[in-house]
Amino acid sequence: MPHFSKDEIAAAIARQRVLPLFNCGDVATGMQALEALHSGGIRYVEFTNRSAGALEVFRGLVAEAARRLPDVVLGAGTIIDAAQAHDFHAAGAAFIVAPNLDEEVGAFCGRHGLFWCPGTGTVTEMIRAHRLGASVIKVFPADALGGPAFIKGVRGPCGWLKLMPSGGVTLDEANLKAWFAAGVHCVGMGSHLVDAKTLAEGRFAELADRTRALVAMLAKV
C-alpha cells in the first residue's frame, strides 16, 4: 500500500470526492468489497472499527490489498481513543477517522504525521479540531445536524474549514449536489454504498456497478 503525507491524502480524497466506509467480519469478504470499489474507481477506503474482530480483519486486509490492490489506500474509522489509533496504525492504517473529537488521538496522529479526520457536531468543535491539526473535519451525524444548510451556515464565517459530512449522504444526485453546493471538501458514505446485506449476499458485481455510477455522478456534480 502506498504511503502519503496527510496533505497528500486530504488532496486525494478531495479529488475522489467520496470516502467510502464499511465493516465486515472476515478478510475474504472485505477483499471482495475492496475489489468491487476499486473496479468502480475508488482508491481511498475507510474500514470501520465496529466489530469485535475489526483489528485482525483490518490487518489482513492491509496485507492482502498490498498484494492484490497495491494502489488502494486503507484507513481506519471509528477510532475513538489513542489506544485504538495506536493499534490500527501499527496494523497499517494510512489515515484515521473518528466519530468524535479526542485530543489524545489528535496528538498521536500529529506525532506520526497521520491524516486525522475527527467527528464534530458544533462550530466550536470544528475550530478546535482544526487547531489540533485535523486535516479534514468530519461533520457527524450530518443529516441530523441540519444537512447541507448546516454546512453552508458553518462555512459562511469559517470558510477555511475542510468539512466531510457523514450520515445522510446518499446516492441520489440531488442529495450529492446539495452537499457540494454547500462547500464540502468531500463526503463520507457508508451503508448507502456498501451495506451489510450486499456483503452478506455476495452481490459484489452490483456493488461495483453502484460504485461506478457514483463515481460518474460525482464527476458531474
Side-chain angles (χ1 to χ4, degrees), residues 4-32:
F4 300 107
S5 72
K6 59 183 182 180
D7 291 338
E8 288 172 328
I9 290 177
I13 293 176
R15 290 192 298 271
Q16 185 170 276
R17 311 202 82 188
V18 61
L19 181 61
L21 57 107
F22 78 99
N23 176 270
C24 64
D26 63 273
V27 175
T29 299
M31 280 306 302
Q32 287 179 290

mmCIF file with all atom_site columns, all heavy atoms in Angstrom, residues 4-32:
data_model
loop_
_atom_site.group_PDB
_atom_site.id
_atom_site.type_symbol
_atom_site.label_atom_id
_atom_site.label_alt_id
_atom_site.label_comp_id
_atom_site.label_asym_id
_atom_site.label_entity_id
_atom_site.label_seq_id
_atom_site.pdbx_PDB_ins_code
_atom_site.Cartn_x
_atom_site.Cartn_y
_atom_site.Cartn_z
_atom_site.occupancy
_atom_site.B_iso_or_equiv
_atom_site.pdbx_formal_charge
_atom_site.auth_seq_id
_atom_site.auth_comp_id
_atom_site.auth_asym_id
_atom_site.auth_atom_id
_atom_site.pdbx_PDB_model_num
ATOM 1   N N   . PHE A 1 4  ? 1.419   8.125   1.890  1.00 0.00 ? 4  PHE A N   1
ATOM 2   C CA  . PHE A 1 4  ? 1.334   9.531   1.523  1.00 0.00 ? 4  PHE A CA  1
ATOM 3   C C   . PHE A 1 4  ? 1.261   10.386  2.778  1.00 0.00 ? 4  PHE A C   1
ATOM 4   O O   . PHE A 1 4  ? 0.838   9.927   3.840  1.00 0.00 ? 4  PHE A O   1
ATOM 5   C CB  . PHE A 1 4  ? 0.105   9.790   0.652  1.00 0.00 ? 4  PHE A CB  1
ATOM 6   C CG  . PHE A 1 4  ? 0.074   9.013   -0.631 1.00 0.00 ? 4  PHE A CG  1
ATOM 7   C CD1 . PHE A 1 4  ? -0.797  7.951   -0.803 1.00 0.00 ? 4  PHE A CD1 1
ATOM 8   C CD2 . PHE A 1 4  ? 0.923   9.352   -1.675 1.00 0.00 ? 4  PHE A CD2 1
ATOM 9   C CE1 . PHE A 1 4  ? -0.822  7.224   -1.982 1.00 0.00 ? 4  PHE A CE1 1
ATOM 10  C CE2 . PHE A 1 4  ? 0.908   8.632   -2.865 1.00 0.00 ? 4  PHE A CE2 1
ATOM 11  C CZ  . PHE A 1 4  ? 0.029   7.575   -3.019 1.00 0.00 ? 4  PHE A CZ  1
ATOM 12  N N   . SER A 1 5  ? 1.635   11.653  2.641  1.00 0.00 ? 5  SER A N   1
ATOM 13  C CA  . SER A 1 5  ? 1.524   12.584  3.752  1.00 0.00 ? 5  SER A CA  1
ATOM 14  C C   . SER A 1 5  ? 0.059   12.916  4.000  1.00 0.00 ? 5  SER A C   1
ATOM 15  O O   . SER A 1 5  ? -0.804  12.654  3.150  1.00 0.00 ? 5  SER A O   1
ATOM 16  C CB  . SER A 1 5  ? 2.293   13.866  3.437  1.00 0.00 ? 5  SER A CB  1
ATOM 17  O OG  . SER A 1 5  ? 1.604   14.617  2.447  1.00 0.00 ? 5  SER A OG  1
ATOM 18  N N   . LYS A 1 6  ? -0.206  13.519  5.152  1.00 0.00 ? 6  LYS A N   1
ATOM 19  C CA  . LYS A 1 6  ? -1.596  13.866  5.474  1.00 0.00 ? 6  LYS A CA  1
ATOM 20  C C   . LYS A 1 6  ? -2.165  14.875  4.477  1.00 0.00 ? 6  LYS A C   1
ATOM 21  O O   . LYS A 1 6  ? -3.351  14.816  4.127  1.00 0.00 ? 6  LYS A O   1
ATOM 22  C CB  . LYS A 1 6  ? -1.701  14.381  6.904  1.00 0.00 ? 6  LYS A CB  1
ATOM 23  C CG  . LYS A 1 6  ? -0.879  15.603  7.218  1.00 0.00 ? 6  LYS A CG  1
ATOM 24  C CD  . LYS A 1 6  ? -1.013  15.956  8.704  1.00 0.00 ? 6  LYS A CD  1
ATOM 25  C CE  . LYS A 1 6  ? -0.224  17.209  9.041  1.00 0.00 ? 6  LYS A CE  1
ATOM 26  N NZ  . LYS A 1 6  ? -0.352  17.539  10.484 1.00 0.00 ? 6  LYS A NZ  1
ATOM 27  N N   . ASP A 1 7  ? -1.322  15.787  3.986  1.00 0.00 ? 7  ASP A N   1
ATOM 28  C CA  . ASP A 1 7  ? -1.793  16.757  2.997  1.00 0.00 ? 7  ASP A CA  1
ATOM 29  C C   . ASP A 1 7  ? -2.089  16.086  1.662  1.00 0.00 ? 7  ASP A C   1
ATOM 30  O O   . ASP A 1 7  ? -3.051  16.445  0.973  1.00 0.00 ? 7  ASP A O   1
ATOM 31  C CB  . ASP A 1 7  ? -0.764  17.864  2.806  1.00 0.00 ? 7  ASP A CB  1
ATOM 32  C CG  . ASP A 1 7  ? -0.642  18.766  4.032  1.00 0.00 ? 7  ASP A CG  1
ATOM 33  O OD1 . ASP A 1 7  ? -1.600  18.806  4.832  1.00 0.00 ? 7  ASP A OD1 1
ATOM 34  O OD2 . ASP A 1 7  ? 0.402   19.414  4.192  1.00 0.00 ? 7  ASP A OD2 1
ATOM 35  N N   . GLU A 1 8  ? -1.267  15.128  1.299  1.00 0.00 ? 8  GLU A N   1
ATOM 36  C CA  . GLU A 1 8  ? -1.499  14.396  0.051  1.00 0.00 ? 8  GLU A CA  1
ATOM 37  C C   . GLU A 1 8  ? -2.792  13.593  0.132  1.00 0.00 ? 8  GLU A C   1
ATOM 38  O O   . GLU A 1 8  ? -3.555  13.519  -0.842 1.00 0.00 ? 8  GLU A O   1
ATOM 39  C CB  . GLU A 1 8  ? -0.321  13.474  -0.241 1.00 0.00 ? 8  GLU A CB  1
ATOM 40  C CG  . GLU A 1 8  ? 0.938   14.215  -0.691 1.00 0.00 ? 8  GLU A CG  1
ATOM 41  C CD  . GLU A 1 8  ? 2.151   13.304  -0.790 1.00 0.00 ? 8  GLU A CD  1
ATOM 42  O OE1 . GLU A 1 8  ? 2.256   12.331  -0.010 1.00 0.00 ? 8  GLU A OE1 1
ATOM 43  O OE2 . GLU A 1 8  ? 3.000   13.560  -1.663 1.00 0.00 ? 8  GLU A OE2 1
ATOM 44  N N   . ILE A 1 9  ? -3.055  12.990  1.287  1.00 0.00 ? 9  ILE A N   1
ATOM 45  C CA  . ILE A 1 9  ? -4.292  12.220  1.447  1.00 0.00 ? 9  ILE A CA  1
ATOM 46  C C   . ILE A 1 9  ? -5.500  13.140  1.411  1.00 0.00 ? 9  ILE A C   1
ATOM 47  O O   . ILE A 1 9  ? -6.522  12.833  0.773  1.00 0.00 ? 9  ILE A O   1
ATOM 48  C CB  . ILE A 1 9  ? -4.245  11.394  2.743  1.00 0.00 ? 9  ILE A CB  1
ATOM 49  C CG1 . ILE A 1 9  ? -3.226  10.256  2.596  1.00 0.00 ? 9  ILE A CG1 1
ATOM 50  C CG2 . ILE A 1 9  ? -5.629  10.812  3.067  1.00 0.00 ? 9  ILE A CG2 1
ATOM 51  C CD1 . ILE A 1 9  ? -3.031  9.425   3.833  1.00 0.00 ? 9  ILE A CD1 1
ATOM 52  N N   . ALA A 1 10 ? -5.414  14.285  2.066  1.00 0.00 ? 10 ALA A N   1
ATOM 53  C CA  . ALA A 1 10 ? -6.527  15.248  2.041  1.00 0.00 ? 10 ALA A CA  1
ATOM 54  C C   . ALA A 1 10 ? -6.833  15.673  0.613  1.00 0.00 ? 10 ALA A C   1
ATOM 55  O O   . ALA A 1 10 ? -8.007  15.763  0.213  1.00 0.00 ? 10 ALA A O   1
ATOM 56  C CB  . ALA A 1 10 ? -6.197  16.461  2.905  1.00 0.00 ? 10 ALA A CB  1
ATOM 57  N N   . ALA A 1 11 ? -5.789  15.926  -0.164 1.00 0.00 ? 11 ALA A N   1
ATOM 58  C CA  . ALA A 1 11 ? -5.985  16.339  -1.556 1.00 0.00 ? 11 ALA A CA  1
ATOM 59  C C   . ALA A 1 11 ? -6.556  15.205  -2.400 1.00 0.00 ? 11 ALA A C   1
ATOM 60  O O   . ALA A 1 11 ? -7.437  15.418  -3.246 1.00 0.00 ? 11 ALA A O   1
ATOM 61  C CB  . ALA A 1 11 ? -4.665  16.830  -2.148 1.00 0.00 ? 11 ALA A CB  1
ATOM 62  N N   . ALA A 1 12 ? -6.078  13.988  -2.161 1.00 0.00 ? 12 ALA A N   1
ATOM 63  C CA  . ALA A 1 12 ? -6.546  12.843  -2.939 1.00 0.00 ? 12 ALA A CA  1
ATOM 64  C C   . ALA A 1 12 ? -8.006  12.529  -2.650 1.00 0.00 ? 12 ALA A C   1
ATOM 65  O O   . ALA A 1 12 ? -8.777  12.200  -3.566 1.00 0.00 ? 12 ALA A O   1
ATOM 66  C CB  . ALA A 1 12 ? -5.677  11.625  -2.647 1.00 0.00 ? 12 ALA A CB  1
ATOM 67  N N   . ILE A 1 13 ? -8.413  12.634  -1.392 1.00 0.00 ? 13 ILE A N   1
ATOM 68  C CA  . ILE A 1 13 ? -9.806  12.371  -1.054 1.00 0.00 ? 13 ILE A CA  1
ATOM 69  C C   . ILE A 1 13 ? -10.702 13.464  -1.632 1.00 0.00 ? 13 ILE A C   1
ATOM 70  O O   . ILE A 1 13 ? -11.837 13.194  -2.044 1.00 0.00 ? 13 ILE A O   1
ATOM 71  C CB  . ILE A 1 13 ? -9.972  12.229  0.473  1.00 0.00 ? 13 ILE A CB  1
ATOM 72  C CG1 . ILE A 1 13 ? -9.251  10.978  0.961  1.00 0.00 ? 13 ILE A CG1 1
ATOM 73  C CG2 . ILE A 1 13 ? -11.454 12.148  0.854  1.00 0.00 ? 13 ILE A CG2 1
ATOM 74  C CD1 . ILE A 1 13 ? -9.261  10.797  2.467  1.00 0.00 ? 13 ILE A CD1 1
ATOM 75  N N   . ALA A 1 14 ? -10.200 14.687  -1.690 1.00 0.00 ? 14 ALA A N   1
ATOM 76  C CA  . ALA A 1 14 ? -10.971 15.755  -2.329 1.00 0.00 ? 14 ALA A CA  1
ATOM 77  C C   . ALA A 1 14 ? -11.176 15.450  -3.806 1.00 0.00 ? 14 ALA A C   1
ATOM 78  O O   . ALA A 1 14 ? -12.260 15.695  -4.357 1.00 0.00 ? 14 ALA A O   1
ATOM 79  C CB  . ALA A 1 14 ? -10.263 17.094  -2.153 1.00 0.00 ? 14 ALA A CB  1
ATOM 80  N N   . ARG A 1 15 ? -10.135 14.913  -4.457 1.00 0.00 ? 15 ARG A N   1
ATOM 81  C CA  . ARG A 1 15 ? -10.275 14.548  -5.882 1.00 0.00 ? 15 ARG A CA  1
ATOM 82  C C   . ARG A 1 15 ? -11.233 13.371  -6.044 1.00 0.00 ? 15 ARG A C   1
ATOM 83  O O   . ARG A 1 15 ? -12.023 13.336  -6.994 1.00 0.00 ? 15 ARG A O   1
ATOM 84  C CB  . ARG A 1 15 ? -8.910  14.201  -6.481 1.00 0.00 ? 15 ARG A CB  1
ATOM 85  C CG  . ARG A 1 15 ? -7.971  15.384  -6.644 1.00 0.00 ? 15 ARG A CG  1
ATOM 86  C CD  . ARG A 1 15 ? -6.773  15.032  -7.496 1.00 0.00 ? 15 ARG A CD  1
ATOM 87  N NE  . ARG A 1 15 ? -5.952  13.972  -6.913 1.00 0.00 ? 15 ARG A NE  1
ATOM 88  C CZ  . ARG A 1 15 ? -4.940  14.176  -6.072 1.00 0.00 ? 15 ARG A CZ  1
ATOM 89  N NH1 . ARG A 1 15 ? -4.632  15.403  -5.686 1.00 0.00 ? 15 ARG A NH1 1
ATOM 90  N NH2 . ARG A 1 15 ? -4.238  13.161  -5.614 1.00 0.00 ? 15 ARG A NH2 1
ATOM 91  N N   . GLN A 1 16 ? -11.165 12.416  -5.143 1.00 0.00 ? 16 GLN A N   1
ATOM 92  C CA  . GLN A 1 16 ? -12.069 11.265  -5.202 1.00 0.00 ? 16 GLN A CA  1
ATOM 93  C C   . GLN A 1 16 ? -13.495 11.691  -4.865 1.00 0.00 ? 16 GLN A C   1
ATOM 94  O O   . GLN A 1 16 ? -14.461 11.064  -5.298 1.00 0.00 ? 16 GLN A O   1
ATOM 95  C CB  . GLN A 1 16 ? -11.579 10.189  -4.218 1.00 0.00 ? 16 GLN A CB  1
ATOM 96  C CG  . GLN A 1 16 ? -12.372 8.895   -4.278 1.00 0.00 ? 16 GLN A CG  1
ATOM 97  C CD  . GLN A 1 16 ? -11.705 7.787   -3.467 1.00 0.00 ? 16 GLN A CD  1
ATOM 98  O OE1 . GLN A 1 16 ? -10.806 7.120   -3.959 1.00 0.00 ? 16 GLN A OE1 1
ATOM 99  N NE2 . GLN A 1 16 ? -12.158 7.569   -2.232 1.00 0.00 ? 16 GLN A NE2 1
ATOM 100 N N   . ARG A 1 17 ? -13.614 12.703  -4.025 1.00 0.00 ? 17 ARG A N   1
ATOM 101 C CA  . ARG A 1 17 ? -14.869 13.362  -3.660 1.00 0.00 ? 17 ARG A CA  1
ATOM 102 C C   . ARG A 1 17 ? -15.722 12.584  -2.666 1.00 0.00 ? 17 ARG A C   1
ATOM 103 O O   . ARG A 1 17 ? -16.624 13.140  -2.059 1.00 0.00 ? 17 ARG A O   1
ATOM 104 C CB  . ARG A 1 17 ? -15.713 13.714  -4.899 1.00 0.00 ? 17 ARG A CB  1
ATOM 105 C CG  . ARG A 1 17 ? -14.928 14.430  -5.974 1.00 0.00 ? 17 ARG A CG  1
ATOM 106 C CD  . ARG A 1 17 ? -15.832 15.220  -6.907 1.00 0.00 ? 17 ARG A CD  1
ATOM 107 N NE  . ARG A 1 17 ? -16.171 16.506  -6.321 1.00 0.00 ? 17 ARG A NE  1
ATOM 108 C CZ  . ARG A 1 17 ? -17.069 17.339  -6.836 1.00 0.00 ? 17 ARG A CZ  1
ATOM 109 N NH1 . ARG A 1 17 ? -17.742 16.995  -7.927 1.00 0.00 ? 17 ARG A NH1 1
ATOM 110 N NH2 . ARG A 1 17 ? -17.312 18.502  -6.260 1.00 0.00 ? 17 ARG A NH2 1
ATOM 111 N N   . VAL A 1 18 ? -15.447 11.309  -2.497 1.00 0.00 ? 18 VAL A N   1
ATOM 112 C CA  . VAL A 1 18 ? -16.196 10.493  -1.539 1.00 0.00 ? 18 VAL A CA  1
ATOM 113 C C   . VAL A 1 18 ? -15.215 9.574   -0.824 1.00 0.00 ? 18 VAL A C   1
ATOM 114 O O   . VAL A 1 18 ? -14.242 9.102   -1.419 1.00 0.00 ? 18 VAL A O   1
ATOM 115 C CB  . VAL A 1 18 ? -17.280 9.654   -2.248 1.00 0.00 ? 18 VAL A CB  1
ATOM 116 C CG1 . VAL A 1 18 ? -16.684 8.688   -3.261 1.00 0.00 ? 18 VAL A CG1 1
ATOM 117 C CG2 . VAL A 1 18 ? -18.146 8.906   -1.227 1.00 0.00 ? 18 VAL A CG2 1
ATOM 118 N N   . LEU A 1 19 ? -15.460 9.371   0.480  1.00 0.00 ? 19 LEU A N   1
ATOM 119 C CA  . LEU A 1 19 ? -14.685 8.394   1.231  1.00 0.00 ? 19 LEU A CA  1
ATOM 120 C C   . LEU A 1 19 ? -15.641 7.280   1.648  1.00 0.00 ? 19 LEU A C   1
ATOM 121 O O   . LEU A 1 19 ? -16.410 7.437   2.589  1.00 0.00 ? 19 LEU A O   1
ATOM 122 C CB  . LEU A 1 19 ? -14.041 9.033   2.464  1.00 0.00 ? 19 LEU A CB  1
ATOM 123 C CG  . LEU A 1 19 ? -13.172 8.086   3.310  1.00 0.00 ? 19 LEU A CG  1
ATOM 124 C CD1 . LEU A 1 19 ? -12.006 7.543   2.487  1.00 0.00 ? 19 LEU A CD1 1
ATOM 125 C CD2 . LEU A 1 19 ? -12.668 8.792   4.554  1.00 0.00 ? 19 LEU A CD2 1
ATOM 126 N N   . PRO A 1 20 ? -15.622 6.146   0.936  1.00 0.00 ? 20 PRO A N   1
ATOM 127 C CA  . PRO A 1 20 ? -16.494 5.028   1.310  1.00 0.00 ? 20 PRO A CA  1
ATOM 128 C C   . PRO A 1 20 ? -16.014 4.396   2.617  1.00 0.00 ? 20 PRO A C   1
ATOM 129 O O   . PRO A 1 20 ? -14.807 4.317   2.877  1.00 0.00 ? 20 PRO A O   1
ATOM 130 C CB  . PRO A 1 20 ? -16.342 4.043   0.151  1.00 0.00 ? 20 PRO A CB  1
ATOM 131 C CG  . PRO A 1 20 ? -15.695 4.810   -0.946 1.00 0.00 ? 20 PRO A CG  1
ATOM 132 C CD  . PRO A 1 20 ? -14.857 5.842   -0.272 1.00 0.00 ? 20 PRO A CD  1
ATOM 133 N N   . LEU A 1 21 ? -16.958 3.944   3.415  1.00 0.00 ? 21 LEU A N   1
ATOM 134 C CA  . LEU A 1 21 ? -16.605 3.260   4.655  1.00 0.00 ? 21 LEU A CA  1
ATOM 135 C C   . LEU A 1 21 ? -17.450 2.010   4.808  1.00 0.00 ? 21 LEU A C   1
ATOM 136 O O   . LEU A 1 21 ? -18.614 1.973   4.404  1.00 0.00 ? 21 LEU A O   1
ATOM 137 C CB  . LEU A 1 21 ? -16.779 4.192   5.849  1.00 0.00 ? 21 LEU A CB  1
ATOM 138 C CG  . LEU A 1 21 ? -18.164 4.806   6.061  1.00 0.00 ? 21 LEU A CG  1
ATOM 139 C CD1 . LEU A 1 21 ? -18.863 4.175   7.252  1.00 0.00 ? 21 LEU A CD1 1
ATOM 140 C CD2 . LEU A 1 21 ? -18.050 6.313   6.267  1.00 0.00 ? 21 LEU A CD2 1
ATOM 141 N N   . PHE A 1 22 ? -16.827 0.976   5.366  1.00 0.00 ? 22 PHE A N   1
ATOM 142 C CA  . PHE A 1 22 ? -17.559 -0.262  5.588  1.00 0.00 ? 22 PHE A CA  1
ATOM 143 C C   . PHE A 1 22 ? -16.867 -1.086  6.656  1.00 0.00 ? 22 PHE A C   1
ATOM 144 O O   . PHE A 1 22 ? -15.729 -0.815  7.051  1.00 0.00 ? 22 PHE A O   1
ATOM 145 C CB  . PHE A 1 22 ? -17.702 -1.068  4.288  1.00 0.00 ? 22 PHE A CB  1
ATOM 146 C CG  . PHE A 1 22 ? -16.456 -1.830  3.886  1.00 0.00 ? 22 PHE A CG  1
ATOM 147 C CD1 . PHE A 1 22 ? -16.333 -3.189  4.173  1.00 0.00 ? 22 PHE A CD1 1
ATOM 148 C CD2 . PHE A 1 22 ? -15.419 -1.205  3.206  1.00 0.00 ? 22 PHE A CD2 1
ATOM 149 C CE1 . PHE A 1 22 ? -15.195 -3.904  3.795  1.00 0.00 ? 22 PHE A CE1 1
ATOM 150 C CE2 . PHE A 1 22 ? -14.284 -1.906  2.822  1.00 0.00 ? 22 PHE A CE2 1
ATOM 151 C CZ  . PHE A 1 22 ? -14.171 -3.260  3.118  1.00 0.00 ? 22 PHE A CZ  1
ATOM 152 N N   . ASN A 1 23 ? -17.575 -2.118  7.104  1.00 0.00 ? 23 ASN A N   1
ATOM 153 C CA  . ASN A 1 23 ? -17.033 -3.080  8.055  1.00 0.00 ? 23 ASN A CA  1
ATOM 154 C C   . ASN A 1 23 ? -17.535 -4.461  7.664  1.00 0.00 ? 23 ASN A C   1
ATOM 155 O O   . ASN A 1 23 ? -18.623 -4.598  7.104  1.00 0.00 ? 23 ASN A O   1
ATOM 156 C CB  . ASN A 1 23 ? -17.483 -2.748  9.484  1.00 0.00 ? 23 ASN A CB  1
ATOM 157 C CG  . ASN A 1 23 ? -17.027 -3.785  10.496 1.00 0.00 ? 23 ASN A CG  1
ATOM 158 O OD1 . ASN A 1 23 ? -17.738 -4.754  10.763 1.00 0.00 ? 23 ASN A OD1 1
ATOM 159 N ND2 . ASN A 1 23 ? -15.850 -3.585  11.048 1.00 0.00 ? 23 ASN A ND2 1
ATOM 160 N N   . CYS A 1 24 ? -16.724 -5.466  7.928  1.00 0.00 ? 24 CYS A N   1
ATOM 161 C CA  . CYS A 1 24 ? -17.159 -6.847  7.713  1.00 0.00 ? 24 CYS A CA  1
ATOM 162 C C   . CYS A 1 24 ? -16.384 -7.738  8.673  1.00 0.00 ? 24 CYS A C   1
ATOM 163 O O   . CYS A 1 24 ? -15.428 -7.290  9.315  1.00 0.00 ? 24 CYS A O   1
ATOM 164 C CB  . CYS A 1 24 ? -16.947 -7.275  6.260  1.00 0.00 ? 24 CYS A CB  1
ATOM 165 S SG  . CYS A 1 24 ? -15.212 -7.307  5.765  1.00 0.00 ? 24 CYS A SG  1
ATOM 166 N N   . GLY A 1 25 ? -16.794 -8.995  8.750  1.00 0.00 ? 25 GLY A N   1
ATOM 167 C CA  . GLY A 1 25 ? -16.223 -9.874  9.756  1.00 0.00 ? 25 GLY A CA  1
ATOM 168 C C   . GLY A 1 25 ? -15.094 -10.765 9.304  1.00 0.00 ? 25 GLY A C   1
ATOM 169 O O   . GLY A 1 25 ? -14.548 -11.520 10.115 1.00 0.00 ? 25 GLY A O   1
ATOM 170 N N   . ASP A 1 26 ? -14.710 -10.710 8.029  1.00 0.00 ? 26 ASP A N   1
ATOM 171 C CA  . ASP A 1 26 ? -13.622 -11.575 7.567  1.00 0.00 ? 26 ASP A CA  1
ATOM 172 C C   . ASP A 1 26 ? -12.898 -10.937 6.398  1.00 0.00 ? 26 ASP A C   1
ATOM 173 O O   . ASP A 1 26 ? -13.442 -10.091 5.683  1.00 0.00 ? 26 ASP A O   1
ATOM 174 C CB  . ASP A 1 26 ? -14.155 -12.954 7.177  1.00 0.00 ? 26 ASP A CB  1
ATOM 175 C CG  . ASP A 1 26 ? -15.124 -12.886 6.011  1.00 0.00 ? 26 ASP A CG  1
ATOM 176 O OD1 . ASP A 1 26 ? -16.322 -12.678 6.233  1.00 0.00 ? 26 ASP A OD1 1
ATOM 177 O OD2 . ASP A 1 26 ? -14.656 -13.021 4.863  1.00 0.00 ? 26 ASP A OD2 1
ATOM 178 N N   . VAL A 1 27 ? -11.660 -11.355 6.205  1.00 0.00 ? 27 VAL A N   1
ATOM 179 C CA  . VAL A 1 27 ? -10.794 -10.761 5.188  1.00 0.00 ? 27 VAL A CA  1
ATOM 180 C C   . VAL A 1 27 ? -11.293 -11.061 3.777  1.00 0.00 ? 27 VAL A C   1
ATOM 181 O O   . VAL A 1 27 ? -11.242 -10.201 2.894  1.00 0.00 ? 27 VAL A O   1
ATOM 182 C CB  . VAL A 1 27 ? -9.345  -11.259 5.366  1.00 0.00 ? 27 VAL A CB  1
ATOM 183 C CG1 . VAL A 1 27 ? -8.452  -10.747 4.240  1.00 0.00 ? 27 VAL A CG1 1
ATOM 184 C CG2 . VAL A 1 27 ? -8.791  -10.808 6.716  1.00 0.00 ? 27 VAL A CG2 1
ATOM 185 N N   . ALA A 1 28 ? -11.790 -12.274 3.555  1.00 0.00 ? 28 ALA A N   1
ATOM 186 C CA  . ALA A 1 28 ? -12.242 -12.647 2.210  1.00 0.00 ? 28 ALA A CA  1
ATOM 187 C C   . ALA A 1 28 ? -13.363 -11.730 1.733  1.00 0.00 ? 28 ALA A C   1
ATOM 188 O O   . ALA A 1 28 ? -13.332 -11.232 0.593  1.00 0.00 ? 28 ALA A O   1
ATOM 189 C CB  . ALA A 1 28 ? -12.699 -14.103 2.194  1.00 0.00 ? 28 ALA A CB  1
ATOM 190 N N   . THR A 1 29 ? -14.354 -11.496 2.594  1.00 0.00 ? 29 THR A N   1
ATOM 191 C CA  . THR A 1 29 ? -15.454 -10.603 2.227  1.00 0.00 ? 29 THR A CA  1
ATOM 192 C C   . THR A 1 29 ? -14.946 -9.192  2.023  1.00 0.00 ? 29 THR A C   1
ATOM 193 O O   . THR A 1 29 ? -15.327 -8.500  1.074  1.00 0.00 ? 29 THR A O   1
ATOM 194 C CB  . THR A 1 29 ? -16.536 -10.621 3.314  1.00 0.00 ? 29 THR A CB  1
ATOM 195 O OG1 . THR A 1 29 ? -17.062 -11.939 3.444  1.00 0.00 ? 29 THR A OG1 1
ATOM 196 C CG2 . THR A 1 29 ? -17.676 -9.663  2.979  1.00 0.00 ? 29 THR A CG2 1
ATOM 197 N N   . GLY A 1 30 ? -14.061 -8.754  2.921  1.00 0.00 ? 30 GLY A N   1
ATOM 198 C CA  . GLY A 1 30 ? -13.514 -7.412  2.805  1.00 0.00 ? 30 GLY A CA  1
ATOM 199 C C   . GLY A 1 30 ? -12.753 -7.193  1.514  1.00 0.00 ? 30 GLY A C   1
ATOM 200 O O   . GLY A 1 30 ? -12.860 -6.137  0.884  1.00 0.00 ? 30 GLY A O   1
ATOM 201 N N   . MET A 1 31 ? -11.988 -8.188  1.098  1.00 0.00 ? 31 MET A N   1
ATOM 202 C CA  . MET A 1 31 ? -11.250 -8.056  -0.139 1.00 0.00 ? 31 MET A CA  1
ATOM 203 C C   . MET A 1 31 ? -12.180 -7.992  -1.350 1.00 0.00 ? 31 MET A C   1
ATOM 204 O O   . MET A 1 31 ? -11.932 -7.241  -2.304 1.00 0.00 ? 31 MET A O   1
ATOM 205 C CB  . MET A 1 31 ? -10.253 -9.200  -0.300 1.00 0.00 ? 31 MET A CB  1
ATOM 206 C CG  . MET A 1 31 ? -8.971  -9.022  0.487  1.00 0.00 ? 31 MET A CG  1
ATOM 207 S SD  . MET A 1 31 ? -8.111  -7.435  0.171  1.00 0.00 ? 31 MET A SD  1
ATOM 208 C CE  . MET A 1 31 ? -7.832  -7.522  -1.608 1.00 0.00 ? 31 MET A CE  1
ATOM 209 N N   . GLN A 1 32 ? -13.235 -8.769  -1.315 1.00 0.00 ? 32 GLN A N   1
ATOM 210 C CA  . GLN A 1 32 ? -14.197 -8.703  -2.419 1.00 0.00 ? 32 GLN A CA  1
ATOM 211 C C   . GLN A 1 32 ? -14.854 -7.328  -2.481 1.00 0.00 ? 32 GLN A C   1
ATOM 212 O O   . GLN A 1 32 ? -15.094 -6.790  -3.563 1.00 0.00 ? 32 GLN A O   1
ATOM 213 C CB  . GLN A 1 32 ? -15.242 -9.810  -2.266 1.00 0.00 ? 32 GLN A CB  1
ATOM 214 C CG  . GLN A 1 32 ? -14.707 -11.198 -2.576 1.00 0.00 ? 32 GLN A CG  1
ATOM 215 C CD  . GLN A 1 32 ? -15.770 -12.267 -2.395 1.00 0.00 ? 32 GLN A CD  1
ATOM 216 O OE1 . GLN A 1 32 ? -16.190 -12.581 -1.269 1.00 0.00 ? 32 GLN A OE1 1
ATOM 217 N NE2 . GLN A 1 32 ? -16.225 -12.824 -3.496 1.00 0.00 ? 32 GLN A NE2 1
#
